Amino acid sequence: EQQVVDDIIKIARQYNVSAITTNNELFVTPMAIACEKLGLRGAGSTAARKARDKNLMRESFNNGGVRTVRSRRVSDLNDFKEALLELGLPLILKPTFLASSIGVRLIDSYDNAETIFNEVSKFISTVTIPESVNYEALFIIEEYLVGCKDDWYKFGGYSDYVSVEGFMIDGKYHALAINDKFPQIGFTETAHVTSTTLDKEACELIIAEVKKANESLGLQWCSTHTEVKLMKNREVGVIETAARFAGWNMIPNIKKAHGVDAAIILCDLLCDGESSSLPQTMLRTPSIYYADFHLYPTDFISNSSLDSNINTFNVENISIPNDALIGNVRINSFSTASPAHKVDTSIFESFNAIAYIELCGESSIDIIESIKNIKIKATINISQEG
């Protein structure tokens, strides 16, 4: 970590920079340390560590007045067994240092709990990460937050969680936008819709908890991406947060939907401590809705376009029929994995996005229905070695 910090400082001084930012989750902490040493605005090193280590993050949330979620540090199988006895089921097992739901598994039975733990442990040992990444324990295990989307949405098709994009401005939280979601495949995200259709009361409930969560970490100057579970009786469960922008195309889609450039706002805040482009209230009514959407092998297995017994393959082409789109929804962009890219269905689904689609339309509901149709009607042609 110190070597990365030193390298960042060396380059920053060489170019006399006014600010430093990253969207790479694995470098949030050394960047924050470098900013402190250079006297630049940043997340703060202690806060950045809390935002990177899921155990420290959960403890901060609990201490900061966010809905309490019981959890335990887990470094090995013995820790895991003790946590099962102490916390009970269902539980979520997460690597403390990864992102994109990699290695996240639901534990809802004692019968296969150890098998799941051993499978995840074996898998993450193969994931290459920078040597600068530090953590106190390999895993966190915590109680599962049960969602209830029907208590939040007037229409079906949405998931039971959302993400909230925002900024920390001198230690205070400022919400920018809420993104609705399409149901996940396990814990792998499939689609994000910018911006939310949730009513004003729902948004206010969510933002109040997200504010407590981000401020509990002590974050100072940075963008934030916070994931929230929508629970029964409109109770808000904060899943986790990150001291960086959202991935996928959520930030560009905020610009397309609202004309607000979050990247410029962040640069203004880091350089000047303020931004004339910062909206005074959270963005809620887009000029048009946009969706980031991935297709995975599971989608094609479910619609019988792909044989479930095939473990590895190369994508030749993917077709989406015109009648999959509802109302005035249109495809803005569509790309697939190249024929040279080998898909391995034995690894986590999040590694195997085989098509990316950007949809836009005047109705969020029509976009959700279009995503549902595409999952059902899309077809795939593959090739196999040998």
Side-chain angles (χ1 to χ4, degrees):
E1 181 179 273
Q2 188 58 49
Q3 180 182 340
V4 175
V5 171
D6 291 343
D7 287 345
I8 293 172
I9 291 173
K10 179 181 178 181
I11 299 299
R13 286 177 172 158
Q14 181 179 344
Y15 289 96
N16 192 29
V17 303
S18 299
I20 309 171
T21 184
T22 182
N23 215 39
N24 187 325
E25 176 75 7
L26 301 178
F27 289 98
V28 165
T29 302
M31 182 190 73
I33 297 170
C35 286
E36 283 187 350
K37 290 181 178 294
L38 289 163
L40 302 177
R41 294 182 183 88
S45 59
T46 300
R49 288 195 192 284
K50 292 178 181 178
R52 281 289 300 126
D53 186 314
K54 291 178 174 59
N55 281 297
L56 298 175
M57 183 191 302
R58 181 56 67 190
E59 290 167 3
S60 296
F61 288 174
N62 289 348
N63 293 333
V66 180
R67 181 195 184 280
T68 300
V69 175
R70 296 179 304 136
S71 66
R72 268 203 58 165
R73 285 172 166 75
V74 171
S75 294
D76 53 32
L77 184 57
N78 287 332
D79 289 344
F80 177 70
K81 290 178 180 178
E82 291 176 4
L84 289 181
L85 293 176
E86 179 182 335
L87 301 178
L89 298 179
L91 296 170
I92 297 293
L93 176 69
K94 300 178 184 178
T96 57
F97 59 93
L98 294 177
S100 301
S101 301
I102 297 168
V104 178
R105 293 288 295 271
L106 173 65
I107 310 293
D108 58 2
S109 170
Y110 291 106
D111 294 338
N112 65 351
E114 288 188 32
T115 300
I116 291 174
F117 178 80
N118 289 330
E119 286 176 355
V120 175
S121 297
K122 181 179 179 181
F123 172 76
I124 66 170
S125 69
T126 68
V127 178
T128 302
I129 62 168
E131 292 180 5
S132 61
V133 174
N134 298 323
Y135 49 85
E136 291 188 16
L138 191 58
F139 295 101
I140 181 175
I141 192 165
E142 60 185 19
E143 64 177 296
Y144 178 58
L145 297 174
V146 180
C148 183
K149 57 189 175 184
D150 293 340
D151 283 3
W152 293 82
Y153 289 100
K154 296 177 182 177
F155 303 96
Y158 297 96
S159 188
D160 58 2
Y161 83 112
V162 296
S163 70
V164 187
E165 318 316 324
F167 300 99
M168 293 300 299
I169 304 174
D170 199 15
K172 300 297 181 183
Y173 181 73
H174 185 100
L176 182 65
I178 297 176
N179 290 299
D180 288 333
K181 310 290 181 176
F182 192 84
Q184 298 162 289
I185 299 174
F187 291 99
T188 297
E189 299 182 38
T190 56
H192 317 270
V193 184
T194 304
S195 288
T196 188
T197 61
L198 289 169
D199 59 57
K200 183 179 179 182
E201 177 198 62
C203 292
E204 289 174 348
L205 290 170
I206 291 167
I207 297 308
E209 285 297 290
V210 170
K211 176 180 171 65
K212 285 190 287 186
N214 282 289
E215 291 183 1
S216 76
L217 298 176
L219 294 168
Q220 295 301 303
W221 297 90
C222 62
S223 55
T224 61
H225 169 64
T226 311
E227 295 177 355
V228 173
K229 196 77 166 180
L230 306 177
M231 304 170 70
K232 193 171 181 60
N233 299 320
R234 291 202 163 187
E235 184 178 9
V236 178
V238 178
I239 300 170
E240 59 189 40
T241 197
R244 57 165 173 80
F245 278 134
W248 294 52
N249 259 18
M250 282 183 271
I251 299 305
N253 283 350
I254 288 174
K255 183 178 180 180
K256 295 173 192 173
H258 296 280
V260 174
D261 193 324
I264 285 179
I265 293 171
L266 178 61
C267 289
D268 287 346
L269 292 173
L270 293 178
C271 291
D272 305 322
E274 59 184 4
S275 176
S276 60
S277 301
L278 181 70
Q280 295 305 301
T281 58
M282 192 189 77
L283 304 171
R284 286 196 61 227
T285 308
S287 59
I288 188 169
Y289 290 91
Y290 282 84
D292 253 1
F293 174 32
H294 283 182
L295 286 169
Y296 296 91
T298 295
D299 295 313
F300 296 99
I301 292 171
S302 297
N303 70 19
S304 301
S305 181
L306 181 65
D307 188 338
S308 62
N309 294 315
I310 296 175
N311 294 322
T312 60
F313 60 89
N314 300 87
V315 178
E316 292 298 318
N317 62 73
I318 292 172
S319 300
I320 300 172
N322 291 331
D323 65 357
L325 302 179
I326 302 296
N328 67 356
V329 173
R330 67 179 185 271
I331 295 176
N332 255 12
S333 62
F334 174 40
S335 59
T336 65
S338 70
H341 176 73
K342 182 178 178 181
V343 178
D344 181 357
T345 61
S346 68
I347 64 176
F348 281 93
E349 195 87 349
S350 55
F351 282 103
N352 282 328
I354 53 179
Y356 167 76
I357 305 161
E358 183 181 279
L359 301 176
C360 67
E362 295 175 5
S363 166
S364 174
I365 299 166
D366 285 351
I367 287 178
I368 289 291
E369 289 301 313
S370 297
I371 292 172
K372 194 183 302 181
N373 282 349
I374 291 171
K375 282 174 165 281
I376 294 170
K377 297 183 177 184
T379 57
I380 187 171
N381 291 316
I382 66 170
S383 62
Q384 293 177 270
E385 295 178 6

